C-alpha cells in the first residue's frame, strides 16, 4: 500500500523518493546536495517532483534521446590537450 501511495505522489520527500528510485536516503541526499539529481528545498528539507525524476531517469538511461544540437564549426570549443 505504501508503494502505491508513493507512486501517486507528485512531490516526494527524501524517504519517498529514495524508495521510488531504489537507492538509500543517504545517497539521494548527497546527489541532491551536489545537484546531480533534480531536487529543490522547501524550507530546510529536500523535495523531489516525480515528473522531474522520471524525465531525469529517461535522459540518463537514453530512453528519450534529445535531438542533437546543430553546432557550426565556429561554435565548437577547441579540443583540450592530453595530460
Amino acid at each position: 500500500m505504501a508503494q502505491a501511495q508513493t507512486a501517486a505522489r507528485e512531490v516526494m520527500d527524501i524517504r519517498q523518493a529514495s524508495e521510488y528510485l531504489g537507492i538509500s536516503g543517504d545517497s539521494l541526499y548527497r546527489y541532491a546536495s551536489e545537484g546531480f539529481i533534480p531536487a529543490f528545498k522547501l524550507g530546510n528539507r529536500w523535495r523531489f517532483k516525480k515528473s522531474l525524476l522520471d524525465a531525469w531517469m529517461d535522459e540518463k538511461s537514453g530512453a528519450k534521446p534529445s535531438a542533437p544540437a546543430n553546432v557550426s564549426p565556429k561554435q565548437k570549443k577547441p579540443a583540450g590537450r592530453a595530460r
Side-chain angles (χ1 to χ4, degrees), residues 37-53:
I37 197 164
F40 63 96
K41 276 198 155 183
L42 189 60
N44 64 348
R45 301 196 187 251
W46 286 106
R47 295 290 185 248
F48 304 84
K49 284 187 74 173
K50 182 181 178 297
S51 58
L52 292 177
L53 291 177

Side-chain angles (χ1 to χ4, degrees), residues 19-33:
E19 287 177 11
Y20 179 68
L21 295 171
I23 61 175
S24 74
D26 290 341
S27 293
L28 183 57
Y29 183 85
R30 187 175 69 245
Y31 294 157
S33 298

